[in-house]
Amino acid sequence: MLIKRWLGSLVNRAVAFVILVIFLSALVVTVAGTLVSQSELETQAKNEVVIIANLVAGELDDKLSQRLAVLAEIADGLSMREDILHIRATTLLRREIALRHLFDAFYLIGADGKILAEYPEAYAQKGRDVSGREYFRRTSQQLTPVVSRPYRSFYQNKPAIMLTAPVFDQNRRFIGMIAGAILLDADNFMGDVGRVRIGESGYVSVATQGGITLANGRTGAVMEPVPASSSALQQAMSGFEGVVASENGDGDKTIMAVKQMDQVPWFVAASWPAREAFAPAARLVDNLLWVLLAVIVTLAPFAFVMFRRLMTPMDVLGHQITERHLGVRTTPVDVTGVREIRQVAETFNTVMEERDEVLSSLAEREAFFRSLTQSAPIGIVQTDVLGRIEFVNPTFEKITNSGGNGLLHKYLVAGIHEDDREQALREWYSALRNHEVFRGRFRLLRGTSGGAIWADVMTAAIETPDKSLGTITVVRDITRELEVEQALREEQQRADSILAVLQEGVLMVDTGGVIRYANRAACSFIGDGENCENQNFFERTVIENEERQWQASDFLAGEDFESLYVTLRNARGQIFDIDLTMLHLRKGHDNERLVFVLRDDSERRRQEERLSWEATHDSLTQLLNRRAFSAALMKCLADVNEQASVSVLMLIDLDYFKPINDEGGHLLGDDLLKRLADLLKDSVRQSDTVARLGGDEFGIILPACGLNRAEVLAEKIRAGVQALRIKRDGRSFGVTTSIGLTGLSPGDSGPREVVARADEGCYIAKAQGRNKVIVVPVPEH
């Protein structure tokens, strides 16, 4: 209550308004500044973590590359006989001083996996068998320098990675390897990564795509699984690279940049807590709030005094207006004060003068009204509060074919036809009681001729705030209009009869999609039986073609068209192939309409689909033909850079198929081909492509399958074909397969090169006695 009384003063309201404006302005500036600052800080933070992630990843790649190069160079210098290498192993290793600065330990390992020499010798690993280690298997199989996966070393179970390079004798035969170990928790370049800081609490982590932590600047832990709760790190394990918002192990929001390394399947993650990155924006808000408080405390008293002085003339003016209203004051009020107050005083004086003039002109206005109604093209009748006629214009006299003097002082309802009088009178009184305008259509008696006319009537009450003075009624002769409407309805009925027997669906909708007319065929397309009027066409149907799904706005804004081939799906889930025609009626006007003609186009679509299928499929086996297979292989080659695993091409050539045709007949051969096609389709995934390339040659495209899985699948197919037998006339018939496999690589120039490699595998399989699977490796481009 106290606050309400205080705000009752205009001065107090003005002061409160000023303070509110200042507060809101400062709040807007603060919020806008905070958002802009936070946006800038976020951009800077993202750039900084990206730069650090790139620098760390680049440095790690450089150091790993340098160490691999040094190992490879030393391995080239160890080319000698294997027995000499075993004898001189310790001497050869001791002279490699450079390796002492690059690795925590390094070893010379024989071809059988036993350590021949080591440095430092205090680790006592000489003679140990490491043939089971992953790095030994990869190096001895690939015969290339290798960076191992992280592992626990034999020495004190320390976490480490191993870099290896193969050693060959003069005949390029593998005789061993030289290996350098880097401990993950030692004082080396891997340990330096964990000590990198971004700001005060930001850190850098390194992990493998297999999910093992190599360095963690937050916890210092290594050889631990990457947390499954971190979606950003899980994405990084799948090859993601970029900047994301994430959370650290303590639940703090962070900005994380991920960079994949080039030399090894590792990634670097640079994380900076958002709280620290956005700290300057928080300090800015605090400072602005203190400034706002100081401004309000300073300006509030000053604004109160100033508004009080400015509003003094308004108080004086209020007293003078009250005196003038009560008649105590007969002279105009004084015009003083600021411009707005002077304007109020002048306006009040002007209003008082105009009031006197208005009262004196009321009689003139009534005379003007009467003269205006004399020439009006519609009938006008004025009655008193009892409904007795006080005035009619000449047009009403002409409509009712009666003289004006004969109508005066008669009840207006007496001129309504007796069949319509009771209902019209009831609706008339109801509208006037509710202070509404009465609108009705009924017959009026036409003078002494005894006839009647149809009239459109509108009546409104003439009222003042204190009382009712009567009514004013407007009458329009609509007899001719009703005759025209009846003729139009008859024409509409004839048109409806014609449209009802048409096979094409014809419907008309308004701009809101509401169906204003539809024949029986159109309703069957929409799925609403025989009557679908007043339904919304665009809500009951979905219309689409190969390019897009058509919306109501597309039809309204578009031009007329003929023969647009679309698919129509109604609310019942029924689908029709439609040849659609659309016309605009009264385009751009309030009563605009759209006319749709729907023709069933299903048979033509089925013919086109059949021809399209036959052009891409083998008629005997129902598999894709060579043309469709080549197109699919071309697409797979275009997507090879985006595949997480290697895509594989498999060519299958049947062995001894010709004797089956010669001995069992072509029908037996065709039956065998069909069964083989079913076996191939059942053996692969839905995403794989199976095709018949020729008489007894088949091809399979395995996207992102990987050579190992593809080889297992090929063996399964080979065994399945070998087991497939057809018995005919007491004899058993069957074939085997020669299968060639090869991977797809970015260096392939086109399908021909890939097919040639896989075909080479088939030739090798046949040369080795048939019924084999041969994998042809991808050449290094």
Side-chain angles (χ1 to χ4, degrees):
M1 180 63 71
L2 183 61
I3 295 176
K4 185 175 181 181
R5 289 180 57 188
W6 188 82
L7 289 176
S9 169
L10 184 60
V11 173
N12 295 342
R13 289 188 181 185
V15 173
F17 177 74
V18 170
I19 294 174
L20 180 61
V21 169
I22 294 173
F23 176 78
L24 291 178
S25 300
L27 181 61
V28 170
V29 171
T30 302
V31 172
T34 301
L35 293 177
V36 171
S37 300
Q38 186 164 338
S39 177
E40 287 292 329
L41 290 171
E42 183 176 0
T43 302
Q44 294 176 8
K46 288 182 178 179
N47 291 337
E48 185 166 348
V49 294
V50 167
I51 291 171
I52 291 176
N54 289 340
L55 288 175
V56 172
E59 184 178 2
L60 286 176
D61 277 328
D62 290 342
K63 291 184 176 182
L64 290 174
S65 177
Q66 174 193 8
R67 284 159 172 76
L68 282 175
V70 171
L71 286 177
E73 183 178 354
I74 293 174
D76 289 340
L78 297 178
S79 180
M80 60 187 68
R81 293 206 316 269
E82 185 174 6
D83 56 343
I84 297 176
L85 178 69
H86 283 239
I87 295 171
R88 301 181 58 194
T90 302
T91 303
L92 292 173
L93 202 63
R94 286 176 178 174
R95 72 183 186 185
E96 301 300 337
I97 306 300
L99 295 182
R100 302 180 186 182
H101 303 286
L102 299 177
F103 298 98
D104 295 308
F106 48 93
Y107 308 92
L108 192 58
I109 304 172
D112 58 355
K114 292 186 178 181
I115 298 177
L116 305 176
E118 64 175 334
Y119 182 86
E121 297 176 357
Y123 284 1
Q125 301 299 310
K126 184 176 180 180
R128 183 179 291 277
D129 185 358
V130 295
S131 59
R133 290 291 193 182
E134 173 262 349
Y135 59 80
F136 181 83
R137 293 197 303 272
R138 286 176 56 197
T139 305
S140 60
Q141 292 173 4
Q142 298 177 8
L143 301 180
T144 58
V146 166
V147 178
S148 77
R149 298 190 183 96
Y151 66 94
R152 291 285 180 177
S153 67
F154 292 120
Y155 178 69
Q156 297 181 358
N157 203 31
K158 287 182 173 292
I161 58 172
M162 187 73 78
L163 282 66
T164 64
V167 177
F168 305 95
D169 61 10
Q170 292 84 348
N171 297 322
R172 301 302 296 171
R173 184 174 65 85
F174 176 72
I175 61 173
M177 65 183 71
I178 184 165
I182 300 173
L183 299 179
L184 299 180
D185 57 357
D187 188 11
N188 52 33
F189 71 94
M190 289 299 296
D192 292 340
V193 172
R195 291 187 286 274
V196 173
R197 285 291 173 266
I198 307 172
E200 295 181 0
S201 56
Y203 58 91
V204 175
S205 300
V206 181
T208 69
Q209 290 185 352
I212 302 300
T213 302
L214 302 179
N216 190 317
R218 185 176 67 87
T219 64
V222 296
M223 287 294 290
E224 290 186 354
V226 171
S229 59
S230 176
S231 60
L233 294 179
Q234 295 298 318
Q235 294 178 30
M237 290 167 57
S238 300
F240 167 76
E241 190 173 71
V243 182
V244 294
S246 182
E247 292 185 359
N248 60 20
D250 299 329
D252 297 330
K253 300 291 184 181
T254 62
I255 300 173
M256 179 182 291
V258 177
K259 174 65 177 176
Q260 300 290 337
M261 292 179 58
D262 298 329
Q263 293 292 327
V264 288
W266 301 354
F267 62 88
V268 175
S271 303
W272 196 3
R275 171 177 46 78
E276 179 182 339
F278 301 150
R283 290 194 295 271
L284 176 62
V285 173
D286 294 340
N287 294 335
L288 288 176
L289 291 177
W290 281 110
V291 172
L292 172 63
L293 180 61
V295 170
I296 292 175
V297 171
T298 303
L299 289 183
F302 176 76
F304 183 82
V305 173
M306 289 300 299
F307 278 117
R308 175 63 66 184
R309 292 184 59 185
L310 290 173
M311 294 303 296
T312 299
M314 180 63 78
D315 293 336
V316 176
L317 178 61
H319 290 299
Q320 292 182 1
I321 290 175
T322 301
E323 293 175 352
R324 182 70 189 273
H325 177 70
L326 297 176
V328 176
R329 183 185 181 93
T330 57
T331 58
V333 297
D334 297 334
V335 180
T336 59
V338 296
R339 182 175 68 250
E340 289 78 6
I341 297 177
R342 292 199 306 271
Q343 186 175 359
V344 172
E346 292 172 353
T347 302
F348 178 76
N349 290 332
T350 302
V351 169
M352 293 301 293
E353 293 175 1
E354 291 178 350
R355 186 187 67 170
D356 296 337
E357 294 177 0
V358 168
L359 292 176
S360 64
S361 66
L362 285 178
E364 297 176 5
R365 290 179 177 273
E366 183 178 357
F368 173 76
F369 165 74
R370 291 182 178 274
S371 64
L372 182 63
T373 58
Q374 293 294 323
S375 57
I378 56 176
I380 299 176
V381 182
Q382 179 185 347
T383 68
D384 60 16
V385 293
L386 298 178
R388 293 173 298 193
I389 298 175
E390 291 184 340
F391 168 80
V392 296
N393 71 340
T395 303
F396 184 78
E397 295 176 4
K398 182 178 179 180
I399 291 174
T400 57
N401 194 22
S402 58
N405 293 331
L407 294 174
L408 294 179
H409 307 301
K410 292 186 177 179
Y411 289 99
L412 179 59
V413 295
I416 302 176
H417 193 279
E418 58 185 12
D419 293 338
D420 303 335
R421 189 176 301 162
E422 182 177 354
Q423 180 178 355
L425 192 60
R426 183 171 57 252
E427 295 177 356
W428 201 341
Y429 283 156
S430 175
L432 294 180
R433 279 197 304 268
N434 296 326
H435 302 282
E436 299 173 349
V437 175
F438 166 77
R439 291 179 175 83
R441 178 177 290 186
F442 45 77
R443 288 170 290 179
L444 295 179
L445 298 175
R446 191 170 174 80
T448 58
S449 63
I453 61 166
W454 280 95
D456 194 356
V457 179
M458 182 171 65
T459 301
I462 304 174
E463 297 176 319
T464 67
D466 301 328
K467 62 180 180 178
S468 176
L469 304 178
T471 64
I472 185 76
T473 301
V474 177
V475 180
R476 186 169 63 88
D477 186 356
I478 59 171
T479 304
R480 177 58 182 165
E481 294 180 13
L482 294 180
E483 293 174 354
V484 173
E485 288 179 2
Q486 179 61 28
L488 290 175
R489 280 195 294 271
E490 294 174 357
E491 291 294 330
Q492 179 67 39
Q493 290 175 355
R494 284 193 290 271
D496 291 345
S497 300
I498 295 172
L499 292 174
V501 298
L502 291 178
Q503 296 297 320
E504 291 85 356
V506 180
L507 58 89
M508 179 172 63
V509 303
D510 59 21
T511 55
V514 178
I515 300 175
R516 299 303 183 184
Y517 170 79
N519 65 356
R520 183 180 303 171
C523 291
S524 67
F525 283 123
I526 298 173
D528 284 326
E530 297 184 357
N531 185 11
C532 55
E533 292 185 7
N534 298 321
Q535 299 287 336
N536 192 295
F537 175 64
F538 300 123
E539 293 178 357
R540 300 285 296 174
T541 61
V542 175
I543 298 176
E544 56 191 2
N545 59 4
E546 296 179 354
E547 300 176 355
R548 57 173 169 164
Q549 179 174 316
W550 287 73
Q551 307 295 331
S553 57
D554 297 328
F555 292 111
L556 292 171
E559 300 296 331
D560 297 349
F561 57 78
E562 295 183 8
S563 297
L564 176 66
Y565 298 116
V566 300
T567 299
L568 181 146
R569 184 171 64 254
N570 60 30
R572 293 185 177 181
Q574 298 172 314
I575 299 177
F576 299 95
D577 293 326
I578 298 297
D579 181 359
L580 181 65
T581 297
M582 192 230 14
L583 301 174
H584 284 274
L585 299 181
R586 301 181 293 276
K587 187 173 183 179
H589 295 79
D590 293 339
N591 58 346
E592 179 181 352
R593 296 290 185 267
L594 300 178
V595 176
F596 293 92
V597 180
L598 312 173
R599 304 179 186 89
D600 194 340
D601 196 42
S602 302
E603 182 60 30
R604 185 191 66 80
R605 301 271 184 101
R606 283 193 292 270
Q607 291 292 335
E608 288 184 354
E609 291 175 357
R610 182 181 62 79
L611 293 175
S612 175
W613 188 91
E614 291 177 351
T616 57
H617 287 74
D618 175 55
S619 59
L620 176 63
T621 63
Q622 312 298 306
L623 299 177
L624 293 179
N625 59 19
R626 180 178 289 274
R627 179 188 301 174
F629 181 81
S630 298
L633 182 56
M634 182 74 74
K635 181 180 183 303
C636 193
L637 278 171
D639 298 338
V640 70
N641 286 323
E642 301 175 3
Q643 301 288 352
S645 300
V646 176
S647 297
V648 179
L649 170 63
M650 181 190 302
L651 289 186
I652 303 172
D653 200 352
L654 303 184
D655 303 327
Y656 310 113
F657 181 70
K658 186 175 182 303
I660 291 181
N661 278 335
D662 295 341
E663 299 175 15
H666 288 284
L667 292 179
L668 177 63
D670 291 348
D671 187 20
L672 178 61
L673 289 175
K674 291 179 184 178
R675 297 193 186 188
L676 288 174
D678 292 338
L679 185 148
L680 295 179
K681 286 188 291 186
D682 293 340
S683 299
V684 300
R685 304 167 298 182
Q686 290 186 351
S687 59
D688 298 334
T689 302
V690 184
R692 182 187 180 194
L693 306 182
D696 59 352
E697 185 179 6
F698 296 84
I700 300 177
I701 301 173
L702 304 167
C705 178
L707 274 173
N708 292 335
R709 290 176 57 192
E711 187 174 1
V712 173
L713 175 60
E715 285 292 345
K716 176 184 175 183
I717 292 174
R718 183 199 61 76
V721 174
Q722 183 179 4
L724 180 62
R725 310 294 295 179
I726 299 178
K727 295 186 181 297
R728 186 68 54 85
D729 298 331
R731 299 180 58 189
S732 177
F733 296 90
V735 295
T736 59
T737 57
S738 295
I739 301 177
L741 290 178
T742 188
L744 279 63
S745 76
D748 289 325
S749 60
R752 182 173 297 178
E753 182 177 350
V754 183
V755 172
R757 281 204 309 273
D759 208 20
E760 180 184 352
C762 291
Y763 283 123
I764 295 173
K766 287 185 179 294
Q768 294 181 2
R770 295 182 171 84
N771 196 22
K772 292 183 178 295
V773 175
I774 299 298
V775 178
V776 180
V778 178
E780 295 185 1
H781 294 277

